[in-house]
Amino acid sequence: MEEKTYIEDIDRSIYDIRNENDDSYRIEDGLTEEIVRQISREKNDPEWMLQLRLRSLASYRRQDIPNWGPPIDELDMDHISTYVRPNTHMANDWESVPKDIKDTFERLGIPEAERKSLAGVGAQYDSELVYHNVKKEVAEQGVIYTDLESAMHGPYEEMIRTHFMKLVPPSDHKFAALHGAVWSGGSFVYVPPHVQVSIPLQSYFRLNAKGAGQFEHTLILVDEGASLHFIEGCSAPKYNVANLHAGCVELYVGKNAKLRYSTIENWSKNMFNLNTKRAIVEEGGSMEWVSGSFGSHVSYLYPSTILNGPHADVTFTGVTFAGSGQNLDTGAKVIHNAPYTSSYLNTRSISKSGGISTFRSSVSISEKAHHSKSSVSCQSLMLDSESRSDTIPAMDIRAGEVDVGHEATIGRISNSEIFYLMSRGMSEDEAREMIVRGFAGNVSKELPMEYALEMNRLISIEMKGTMG
Amino acid sequence: MTETKQVINRLYAPTWRWLKLNEEQVSLPESLAPAKVLPEGQTTAGASASVLYGPDCGSGLGADFAAYLGSHLPSGAGYILEPEPLIRLSLVSRAGQAQAASFALSVPGGKECTLCMDYASEEKGEGTLLVDLQIRLGQGASLHLIQNDRLNPDSCLYNGVRVVCGKEAKMDSVQMWVGGKTVYAGYRAELEGDASVCTPSVGYWTRTGHKSDFNYEMVHRGKETSCDVLFSGILDEGAAKTFRGVIDFKTGSSGSVGTENENVLLTGDRVLNRTIPLILCSEEDVKGNHGATIGKLSGEEKFYLSSRGLDEASIDALLVRARLNWIVERMKDEKAREQILAFIGEMYAE
């Protein structure tokens, strides 16, 4: 009898470190106008931001829960604290960060990564940034990389006011509205025209508090002809109650500009990850998403891109690994809104031990987007019959002069592939491992070396078995 | 004419609501007349539609549509078909009327049948035709189904097919949706028996101002079942088409294979072409794949043919008809093939 391929769960021990929250400030659970006003006071919001929060709250109350995705009945907003402030202020050197928080980030390898391979780092702990720094030579190019709250009270307030939640309006969906009401933390990046940021910036989000939500906002503007690689990482220890992440990412890619946005999402398995990411790309601009989804109990994650100028393009490369107790609904959306635009979506998903992985996408080509091209490829690997894998790709094409291709496959590791590799001298375990790693390789090969290694560590694979 | 709001062609696993792909809302007539079915003298199901629409009986167009027919199907419009080797039926639609006919066919184990259904209009003018077909295939039974839509271009057609396949049963179907202005086609295959097979092939030509709405569901329950769904169609300027395709591998369907291919030729600059091909999988040992190509005629194809002396209009006509012929050739009945090719020729001439 054929023995099943066995793939171990991701080793989460280093992510499960918990710190006590005794000295932090925690707003009461639930969502009321008073809570929203209190957060606004804590953040020292300008008046326009308070009004945006209140409009968002009203929108949240009007909108219903999505009826098409994984169930989120276990998420009870009455038992979520929307704001937890660690007992520290933002620092720009690690020595000024409280020891327990610093140790957490040390274990996650953030300071080391900053020293080795990053142009700047932002580290958020619960609802606030605790560390933010950008290398001097990058700052000297005119690159702004700071926390959103500081930027909102400085010379960039107008830029923020005209871009914040304009790409993802609170009316977009219920959790965008929730974000608008209670957002806190996150980063603001501005890359001036024709500046090439040759090494990446990174933001890392850590949610330590039990039964809390994290609602950071990332706003990036890459001006004409400029380029940037931004990396986002996230993790949390596991609790026996629900935690919520409803962040928002808004990316503006200018004419002939280029932005790569890489994410390794590794939330704990009690997390509801209801995140919204959206980019708008102007003429000749280029957007690349690299996305690895490994954590969370439930995920709704579909980075979307509006190709708004001729010859703009987007590439989305994603891998999703759904294990026991996980229901990960991931994918991408693209709207072609100008002629000669192109999109390329390439995803892999792996399901095991009862995990549910759903690839969901949409490609919309408007009447204006003649001579556009789109290619969507999604491949799913099922490692046992307890698990589930679905693909739900939609295409809405309204222009005639277009070229659209789509392919999807679902299957298991083929015995013939294993046989071939074994005939080349590999053991069966080695062969299986190579196939699974190769299957997810579309993402790891797009990451800087340090992050590819991190991803490979995340997919800790152990094989055993014999051919049937 | 009073109407009732109904939901048909509901997407098997819903997605973002803003795409407006999850279902089709239609207004169905409150009052239906029996469709004219030739040859006359078919066995009817009696006065009650409950013979055809019992509690466990759905429709290819969805449960709501089955419930609607269950309560609205007029007396004498339900037929029990005898499993003869060749069954040839013509449904003649009358202008100004909403007509319906429902058919049940049970093919016993080991038997092979061909069922040809031809839809035509008696005269010009708006009319609505609702057709529903329930099929049960016994062990090793085989059915070749042909459905040709030759309705006039003001017609509206609702066509549901639901088939339950027993062990090693084989269902192949060829459907040509080239006539009516508005076509709603639903198809659900329950591959219950081990090694059962379903291979639907669909050709459509949605012309200017016309609308097609398709929902094809292949549900794999038995082991080593297979399906191969093929769609090949043409969308003219201002045409609208929605295709929902589902391959669902249920737990226990190990060794099964499902394939879905769609080929859409866009001849106009402004079209509405919507496609959502789902593959749902709760079984490890299966293979499912979907492929779609959507676009205009390639420059290479046109260049090759022009180098052979054809002008642009002739090239377009040739390549467009080739798309439809590709499906028509799969029909196992010569008369049906000739009828639909002649009809396509007439449409071209117009």
Side-chain angles (χ1 to χ4, degrees):
Chain A
M1 185 181 163
E2 191 173 333
E3 196 168 339
K4 302 291 184 194
T5 300
Y6 175 72
I7 298 189
E8 277 197 338
D9 277 330
I10 292 162
D11 177 4
R12 300 196 52 86
S13 55
I14 65 159
Y15 304 104
D16 278 337
I17 307 155
R18 300 175 190 176
N19 297 328
E20 295 303 320
N21 283 95
D22 298 344
D23 54 355
S24 59
Y25 168 76
R26 180 182 175 120
I27 214 158
E28 64 179 293
D29 291 1
L31 186 62
T32 64
E33 183 176 329
E34 183 44 40
I35 285 173
V36 171
R37 286 182 181 276
Q38 179 62 25
I39 292 172
S40 184
R41 281 193 292 273
E42 289 287 333
K43 310 297 294 179
N44 191 25
D45 279 344
E47 179 61 21
W48 66 266
M49 182 57 80
L50 170 63
Q51 293 308 318
L52 186 147
R53 288 183 188 277
L54 294 173
R55 282 198 307 276
S56 299
L57 178 64
S59 179
Y60 174 81
R61 288 173 172 160
R62 278 196 302 272
Q63 297 187 63
D64 56 2
I65 297 276
N67 61 355
W68 43 265
I72 50 174
D73 317 351
E74 298 165 61
L75 177 65
D76 181 358
M77 282 308 296
D78 290 342
H79 293 97
I80 294 285
S81 171
T82 53
Y83 182 76
V84 179
R85 186 187 63 219
N87 188 22
T88 181
H89 295 290
M90 193 180 75
N92 56 14
D93 69 285
W94 284 106
E95 293 312 312
S96 304
V97 175
K99 186 173 182 313
D100 56 344
I101 297 177
K102 189 180 80 171
D103 288 351
T104 301
F105 284 109
E106 287 280 4
R107 288 190 183 110
L108 294 166
I110 307 305
E112 186 187 358
E114 180 184 12
R115 284 191 296 272
K116 281 186 177 174
S117 57
L118 296 172
V121 161
Q124 179 157 336
Y125 193 83
D126 293 335
S127 300
E128 293 292 355
L129 279 154
V130 293
Y131 176 85
H132 222 290
N133 193 28
V134 61
K135 283 194 173 158
K136 190 176 165 212
E137 56 268 35
V138 175
E140 282 174 353
Q141 288 179 288
V143 175
I144 306 300
Y145 179 39
T146 183
D147 64 298
L148 208 47
E149 288 89 341
S150 303
M152 214 162 38
H153 291 99
Y156 296 97
E157 180 185 1
E158 182 61 17
M159 194 182 275
I160 291 168
R161 199 171 60 80
T162 53
H163 291 88
F164 185 89
M165 295 209 79
K166 294 293 190 287
L167 203 47
V168 183
S171 57
D172 205 70
H173 60 83
K174 192 170 185 72
F175 295 98
L178 173 64
H179 175 91
V182 299
W183 77 273
S184 176
S187 298
F188 170 65
V189 182
Y190 172 68
V191 185
H194 309 294
V195 169
Q196 319 299 318
V197 183
S198 54
I199 49 176
L201 301 176
Q202 184 186 27
S203 280
Y204 197 94
F205 305 106
R206 175 76 179 173
L207 180 55
N208 180 69
K210 184 179 181 179
Q214 193 171 59
F215 307 93
E216 86 289 348
H217 194 99
T218 303
L219 178 61
I220 299 177
L221 287 81
V222 184
D223 216 325
E224 183 175 345
S227 71
L228 173 70
H229 182 185
F230 192 88
I231 297 172
E232 175 195 78
C234 42
S235 67
K238 188 175 180 185
Y239 294 104
N240 56 2
V241 298
N243 274 30
L244 169 64
H245 176 235
C248 182
V249 174
E250 296 183 290
L251 310 175
Y252 293 84
V253 182
K255 185 177 178 183
N256 297 323
K258 186 173 181 180
L259 173 59
R260 172 180 277 209
Y261 195 95
S262 303
T263 306
I264 299 296
E265 182 271 298
N266 184 32
W267 294 115
S268 55
K269 290 185 181 178
N270 61 317
M271 182 69 82
F272 287 81
N273 182 35
L274 312 174
N275 208 7
T276 308
K277 297 179 178 182
R278 193 163 299 165
I280 187 163
V281 188
E282 302 301 339
E283 181 180 350
S286 188
M287 178 72 216
E288 285 182 64
W289 299 95
V290 181
S291 180
S293 294
F294 298 93
S296 303
H297 172 48
V298 168
S299 251
Y300 283 64
L301 183 61
Y302 326 97
S304 59
T305 309
I306 303 164
L307 298 171
N308 206 41
H311 300 283
D313 68 76
V314 61
T315 302
F316 177 87
T317 308
V319 64
T320 297
F321 192 118
S324 176
Q326 293 183 280
N327 191 339
L328 306 185
D329 202 298
T330 61
K333 300 182 218 174
V334 181
I335 296 171
H336 292 254
N337 200 34
Y340 299 99
T341 49
S342 57
S343 60
Y344 179 64
L345 279 55
N346 181 12
T347 70
R348 306 279 192 275
S349 62
I350 302 162
S351 313
K352 67 169 283 269
S353 303
I356 301 171
S357 168
T358 301
F359 168 74
R360 192 182 300 273
S361 70
S362 72
V363 172
S364 304
I365 299 184
S366 75
E367 290 170 4
K368 289 188 279 185
H370 55 84
H371 294 93
S372 290
K373 292 182 178 179
S374 176
S375 169
V376 179
S377 170
C378 50
Q379 294 181 35
S380 303
L381 193 58
M382 294 271 291
L383 298 182
D384 54 57
S385 287
E386 298 165 48
S387 306
R388 184 170 181 88
S389 184
D390 297 338
T391 66
I392 307 179
M395 287 163 271
D396 184 321
I397 293 147
R398 294 169 189 240
E401 199 84 42
V402 295
D403 187 359
V404 179
H406 172 265
E407 60 174 17
T409 58
I410 283 183
R412 64 172 183 170
I413 296 177
S414 114
N415 283 345
S416 60
E417 288 170 6
I418 291 170
F419 181 77
Y420 174 80
L421 291 172
M422 288 174 74
S423 73
R424 301 290 168 178
M426 285 187 181
S427 71
E428 185 183 341
D429 287 353
E430 287 170 336
R432 288 184 189 278
E433 183 174 335
M434 175 174 272
I435 291 165
V436 174
R437 284 185 191 277
F439 186 76
N442 66 324
V443 165
S444 61
K445 76 180 183 186
E446 297 297 333
L447 291 169
M449 180 63 78
E450 294 78 5
Y451 298 91
L453 291 172
E454 163 76 359
M455 197 184 110
N456 279 341
R457 191 166 60 79
L458 278 173
I459 311 173
S460 172
I461 299 169
E462 187 177 300
M463 308 286 185
K464 66 172 183 177
T466 55
M467 298 279 285
Chain B
M1 187 186 293
T2 54
E3 294 178 323
T4 173
K5 299 273 184 199
Q6 295 284 336
V7 170
I8 61 167
N9 283 350
R10 201 186 289 270
L11 190 64
Y12 203 71
T15 191
W16 296 299
R17 290 172 285 201
W18 60 270
L19 285 169
K20 300 191 188 323
L21 275 167
N22 286 337
E23 59 194 25
E24 188 66 15
Q25 298 228 9
V26 294
S27 297
L28 294 172
E30 271 294 352
S31 157
L32 293 170
K36 184 176 174 184
V37 178
L38 300 172
E40 291 175 352
Q42 303 289 331
T43 308
T44 66
S48 169
S50 63
V51 176
L52 292 167
Y53 296 99
D56 61 341
C57 203
S59 161
L61 287 159
D64 293 358
F65 187 78
Y68 163 81
L69 276 188
S71 58
H72 288 74
L73 193 69
S75 176
Y79 298 88
I80 309 288
L81 300 174
E82 293 298 322
E84 303 293 337
L86 175 61
I87 309 163
R88 199 183 293 283
L89 299 174
S90 292
L91 280 78
V92 183
S93 171
R94 296 201 66 181
Q97 286 200 358
Q99 297 168 290
S102 184
F103 303 90
L105 171 63
S106 180
V107 183
K111 267 202 127 180
E112 182 173 356
C113 288
T114 298
L115 171 59
C116 299
M117 300 174 76
D118 180 61
Y119 310 153
S121 302
E122 205 163 58
E123 64 255 304
K124 287 185 177 177
E126 289 181 17
T128 301
L129 181 63
L130 296 87
V131 183
D132 197 57
L133 175 61
Q134 309 277 335
I135 302 161
R136 185 167 285 276
L137 302 181
Q139 181 172 348
S142 176
L143 176 66
H144 312 290
L145 171 68
I146 295 168
Q147 291 184 315
N148 279 339
D149 160 25
R150 299 192 299 130
L151 295 168
N152 76 43
D154 295 315
S155 302
C156 175
L157 172 65
Y158 294 83
N159 193 86
V161 174
R162 182 172 178 268
V163 56
V164 180
C165 295
K167 186 178 178 184
E168 294 171 357
K170 288 190 172 68
M171 167 84 182
D172 77 70
S173 60
V174 183
Q175 296 168 307
M176 293 299 297
W177 308 124
V178 293
K181 181 178 185 178
T182 311
V183 175
Y184 300 101
Y187 192 121
R188 183 178 173 99
E190 299 274 357
L191 297 162
E192 285 186 353
D194 292 351
S196 54
V197 177
C198 185
T199 56
S201 303
V202 179
Y204 62 89
W205 179 11
T206 310
R207 282 166 286 158
T208 300
H210 287 206
K211 173 183 171 179
S212 304
D213 191 280
F214 305 128
N215 189 42
Y216 281 60
E217 300 170 352
M218 303 289 120
V219 184
H220 294 255
R221 297 184 193 277
K223 294 186 195 314
E224 296 179 356
T225 52
S226 72
C227 75
D228 190 348
V229 184
L230 175 62
F231 265 71
S232 182
I234 299 151
L235 295 183
D236 286 350
E237 176 78 14
K241 179 226 85 182
T242 300
F243 167 52
R244 303 172 193 87
V246 179
I247 298 173
D248 185 10
F249 295 107
K250 298 286 189 190
T251 303
S253 63
S254 58
S256 294
V257 179
T259 301
E260 201 172 67
N261 272 297
E262 191 193 14
N263 193 323
V264 188
L265 177 64
L266 309 174
T267 65
D269 290 330
R270 290 159 68 95
V271 293
L272 173 56
N273 177 50
R274 304 192 301 175
T275 297
I276 183 157
L278 277 58
I279 303 179
L280 311 176
C281 187
S282 53
E283 174 59 51
E284 170 207 16
D285 179 19
V286 295
K287 278 184 191 163
N289 59 73
H290 167 84
T293 53
I294 301 163
K296 283 213 158 189
L297 291 173
S298 79
E300 281 178 17
E301 285 172 314
K302 285 189 168 182
F303 178 76
Y304 175 80
L305 291 166
S306 66
S307 72
R308 302 288 169 182
L310 291 175
D311 60 36
E312 192 161 345
S314 305
I315 292 169
D316 284 353
L318 185 70
L319 291 175
V320 165
R321 291 178 72 165
R323 301 264 168 157
L324 297 176
N325 288 359
W326 188 36
I327 301 296
V328 174
E329 282 170 6
R330 290 160 191 261
M331 290 181 185
K332 290 189 166 46
D333 182 81
E334 194 173 338
K335 184 177 175 188
R337 222 166 28 231
E338 285 173 358
Q339 270 182 334
I340 198 71
L341 286 175
F343 181 80
I344 292 167
E346 284 169 23
M347 291 296 105
Y348 249 101
E350 283 181 17

